[in-house]
Amino acid sequence: MNYWLVKSEPDAYSWDRFVREGRAIWDGVRNYQARNNLNAMRKDDQVLFYHSVTGMAVVGLALVDREAYPDPTDPPAANGKPTPWVVVELIPEIAFARPVTLAQIKAEPLLGNISLIRQSRLSVMPVKPDEFELILAMGLQ
DNA sequence: GCCAACGTTGGC
DNA sequence: GCCAACGTTGGC
């Protein structure tokens, strides 16, 4: 079991819409490190859903329902080379009773090394098991 | 609105 | 291969 965090600006794609639609095709990732993380996701891995920019909080928990496959929003160019970009499919699992804010995360010494802080621009990142358990406990309390 | 971080592009 | 210029992300 692996743990991850994905970011979305709520103005572009919100947790509420994710819940309403019941599934998300996580497309549009165009960063190689984030792409590598998508490729490493396995079915039923747990994924923290973070609202960036106007939310700045982890708002819920999702599950990987389908592992990586080629991103249909980036079709092969005329040269016939397949796209290097991939998507995964996520389904919502639990909405946090109390969204865990970036400020809370920064204030928690046990989360001092979390990628969310150390690599602030990465949009798909691994989360350590202890970091995951702590954020989940904070969100569900 | 500004800026730090950082990835990409293109000239050399 | 180096690096300046530039674009994007995302927090403040």
Side-chain angles (χ1 to χ4, degrees), chain A residues 29-40 68 83-86 122 124:
Chain A
V29 171
R30 296 292 182 270
N31 168 284
Y32 284 99
Q33 195 175 350
R35 186 280 310 269
N36 293 344
N37 290 332
L38 290 179
N39 272 324
T83 174
W85 306 116
V86 300
L122 188 60
V124 181

Side-chain angles (χ1 to χ4, degrees), chain A residues 41-96:
Chain A
M41 288 185 182
R42 293 296 169 260
K43 184 173 167 59
D44 297 329
D45 278 357
Q46 311 229 53
V47 183
L48 297 170
F49 192 112
Y50 177 80
H51 273 168
S52 62
V53 183
T54 55
M56 291 194 290
V58 180
V59 293
L61 181 63
L63 278 184
V64 176
D65 190 58
R66 184 172 172 189
E67 295 177 7
Y69 61 93
D71 188 339
T73 67
D74 187 41
N79 61 18
K81 283 186 182 173
T83 174
W85 306 116
V86 300
V87 301
V88 297
E89 293 186 15
L90 303 178
I91 55 177
E93 187 178 13
I94 308 170
F96 278 10

